[in-house]
Each structure stands twice: as C-alpha cells, then as structure tokens.
Amino acid sequence: MPDDVGHEIADALGALLRRGARARLYARLTGNLGEAVDETTYPVLSGLARTGPCSAADLAGEIGLDRSGVTRRATRLEEAGLLCREPDPDDRRAILLALTETGQQAVQITRQRLVTIIEASLASWPPEEAQSFAHQLHRFVTTGPFAKS
Amino acid sequence: MPDDVGHEIADALGALLRRGARARLYARLTGNLGEAVDETTYPVLSGLARTGPCSAADLAGEIGLDRSGVTRRATRLEEAGLLCREPDPDDRRAILLALTETGQQAVQITRQRLVTIIEASLASWPPEEAQSFAHQLHRFVTTGPFAKS
DNA sequence: CAGATTGCGTGCGTCGCGCACGCTATTCTT
DNA sequence: AAGAATAGCGTGCGCGACGCACGCAATCTG
C-alpha cells in the first residue's frame, strides 16, 4: 500500500478528532432540545438507547466514564424528564436507568439530524460511491484503531 | 440515496467520537513521549506544526481554545523543552511560539505512529479500495459536517 | 441471625477552561 | 515629541467535570 494513503487518512482523522469539530457537531445535534441535553449529557442518553435499561455502573463502562459521573448526569436528565430511575425487579437494591418517552424522542431527533447532515454532505456523490464509502467507513471503525482492545 | 447509507455512517461517526475511542487512540499516540505530551498538550504541538511559529492568540483560534489555555499548555511544553518562546522580529511586544527540534520530532513520531496504525488496520484491504477510501474520507471530512462553518 | 458483599449517592480534591484584570511595549494623536 | 489609546501577554478567579473514597441501604452467606 502506498504510504500516502495512510497519511491522507491520518490527516482526515486528525481533523475529525479536533476539539472544534466535535463542539460544532454536538451543537448542531443537541440544539433546541432543552437545557439538559448537551455534549456532556448526550452520551448517557445515547448509550442508554444502545444498551436499554441498565445500571449506572454498566452504563459507565459502556461510555467510558466513572460511575459517579453517570449518576450525576442521570440526575440532571431525570430532572428534565428525559430519563427515569426504576427499581430493578430482579435486585431490589439496584436501580435501573431507563429513557422516558421524551428521552427516546430526543435520541431519535439527534440521530435523525446527524443522518440528515450526512446525507446532505453526500448529496452530490454518486450513489454507489456513497454506499461503498459507508461500508468501508463502518468496517474501518469497527476493525481499526478504535476497537476496544 | 438510500437512507441506510446515512445511518451506517452515523453509526460509524458516533463510535468514532466516543470518549473511550479518543482516549485510547491518544494514549497509543502519545505514550512514552515524556510526561508533558498528552491528550491536552498535543493539540498545541500539532497545531503549531501545521501553522508554523505564531502567537498564542492565533494558535488559540486554530485549535479552538481560549488564549489563556494555549499559554498555560505552552508553558508546560516549554518547560519540557518541546517548544520555545521567541520574540517576534516584526513586533517586539509579541512572542512567537515555535517547536524546538525535540518538539518537531515528537510530532513526527506521533504522526508516524498514527500512519502505522492506520496502515496496519488496512493491510488486508485491496490496495485500490484503500486508496479510494482515503480519498473519499478526505473529501467527506473537508466538505462535510465538520467544515468550519 | 450476624457478618460480608453489592449497589448507590455524595463530599472532596484536582484539573482544565473561559473571563477579566494588570502590566508592558507599541502605535496613534495633536 | 509627549501623553493617550491600543495590542499582546501572563495570571488570578470562579465554574464545571471528573475520579476516588466514604457512608448507607439492601442482599447474600454460613
């Protein structure tokens, strides 16, 4: 493989992981969804949407955060009505974090916004090129330098 | 364009922007490069490598940070010998931040590490597929939802 | 039934960040 | 040419996020 392929991807990834890029994207995704959902609380919503109802400790492992941080963010989201705590029926000392209807809608909205943004920026691409790019990006992310270990 | 293309890319980007993914990648890139270079100070090194010697205020705009933060990180890097402050010959009240030889080497090392990681994860790809993926990713990042405005 | 264990919330120290102030060097104005 | 205004820089301060560790309640164990 020619070396410039690696360099080109490295440039792109570098730009992608910049602070400003993340901040701009999160701002566009979480705007007008209430004060509680922002760059810090959204990973809790998103992670909970992926895992389904689960404990704060498990969710902490999922999103790479300390359990205390998850608890605090969950409290903020609970006060905003996006998330609810319900007792675990199998273990009465445990508490399950679960999305409310509003919370699920919020996740759905942000997700749709991201899809819309992506499709808009791919509008001028040949369809089969966009499709192959999607597959390759998916493969690269799941098997590449970002796999969990 | 089919809607699942947008969804597939959205999934990949979501995974890419996770906290854990960033942390793991930065750890692999900046490991064994001294105590001063880590996830917070590296953007200063990298940005300075892109812009060349410039003031803290300009670099702040480049990496999306407040000027005071750049000053503090620059001080840490200066104490570690990776960066030096030199008076601006054109404006004697200004101070230019510039990489030392060691600093340039550090940037070069991290960059080469990233390229190596990328090429390793693309080793099993057909070369022309890797090449087209690199071009498409570059195009997507520079023209997509991450462009500066 | 008593002790060990698990899960949870919270206080505390630390760190990064943005704002705003003071200081110095430079540039403008009359 | 001298005082005023401006630009650039470093730093003190408050705020918020994070990880660690402690205390409390519920559960498991012998």
Side-chain angles (χ1 to χ4, degrees):
Chain A
M1 176 189 334
D3 202 52
D4 53 356
V5 169
H7 280 288
E8 190 168 17
I9 297 181
D11 282 346
L13 284 184
L16 211 63
L17 297 177
R18 290 231 216 310
R19 174 192 184 87
R22 282 203 314 275
R24 279 192 298 273
L25 182 60
Y26 268 108
R28 293 181 65 178
L29 294 185
T30 63
N32 288 79
L33 255 64
E35 194 62 37
V37 47
D38 57 9
E39 182 169 350
T40 65
T41 55
Y42 179 68
V44 173
L45 262 60
S46 174
L48 212 48
R50 288 196 304 274
T51 64
C54 73
S55 71
D58 294 344
L59 191 56
E62 171 70 21
I63 65 179
L65 205 64
D66 189 78
R67 180 181 56 84
S68 64
V70 175
T71 295
R72 281 183 258 262
R73 299 183 186 191
T75 303
R76 281 171 52 188
L77 292 170
E78 186 183 24
E79 292 170 351
L82 300 172
L83 177 150
C84 64
R85 295 176 205 266
E86 51 191 33
D88 188 339
D90 296 341
D91 188 345
R92 283 179 46 198
R93 65 192 157 169
I95 294 179
L96 290 180
L97 272 43
L99 293 179
T100 63
E101 193 65 32
T102 314
Q104 293 182 20
Q105 288 177 9
V107 173
Q108 183 65 24
I109 290 174
T110 58
R111 186 175 176 75
Q112 187 55 47
R113 284 181 181 175
L114 180 55
V115 171
T116 302
I117 291 173
I118 290 170
E119 292 184 346
S121 72
L122 260 55
S124 64
W125 290 37
E128 69 278 0
E129 198 171 334
Q131 188 123 16
S132 71
F133 173 62
H135 291 335
Q136 290 168 358
L137 180 63
H138 176 75
R139 183 180 170 195
F140 177 72
V141 169
T142 51
T143 69
F146 301 97
K148 262 198 175 177
S149 184
Chain B
M1 175 189 334
D3 202 51
D4 53 355
V5 170
H7 280 288
E8 188 168 17
I9 297 181
D11 282 345
L13 285 183
L16 212 61
L17 297 177
R18 291 227 218 310
R19 175 192 182 86
R22 282 203 314 277
R24 279 192 298 272
L25 183 59
Y26 267 108
R28 293 181 65 177
L29 294 186
T30 63
N32 289 80
L33 254 66
E35 194 62 37
V37 47
D38 57 10
E39 181 169 351
T40 65
T41 55
Y42 179 69
V44 173
L45 262 59
S46 174
L48 212 48
R50 288 197 303 274
T51 64
C54 73
S55 72
D58 294 344
L59 191 55
E62 170 70 21
I63 65 179
L65 205 65
D66 189 78
R67 180 181 56 82
S68 63
V70 175
T71 295
R72 281 183 259 261
R73 300 182 186 193
T75 303
R76 280 171 52 188
L77 292 170
E78 187 183 22
E79 292 169 351
L82 300 171
L83 179 150
C84 64
R85 290 174 150 95
E86 51 192 30
D88 188 339
D90 296 342
D91 188 345
R92 283 180 46 198
R93 64 190 159 169
I95 294 180
L96 292 180
L97 272 43
L99 294 178
T100 63
E101 192 66 32
T102 313
Q104 293 183 19
Q105 288 176 9
V107 173
Q108 182 65 25
I109 290 174
T110 58
R111 188 176 175 73
Q112 187 54 49
R113 284 181 182 176
L114 179 57
V115 171
T116 301
I117 291 173
I118 291 170
E119 292 184 346
S121 71
L122 261 57
S124 64
W125 291 36
E128 70 278 0
E129 198 172 334
Q131 188 124 14
S132 72
F133 174 63
H135 292 336
Q136 291 169 357
L137 181 62
H138 177 76
R139 183 179 170 195
F140 177 72
V141 170
T142 52
T143 70
F146 302 96
K148 261 199 176 178
S149 183

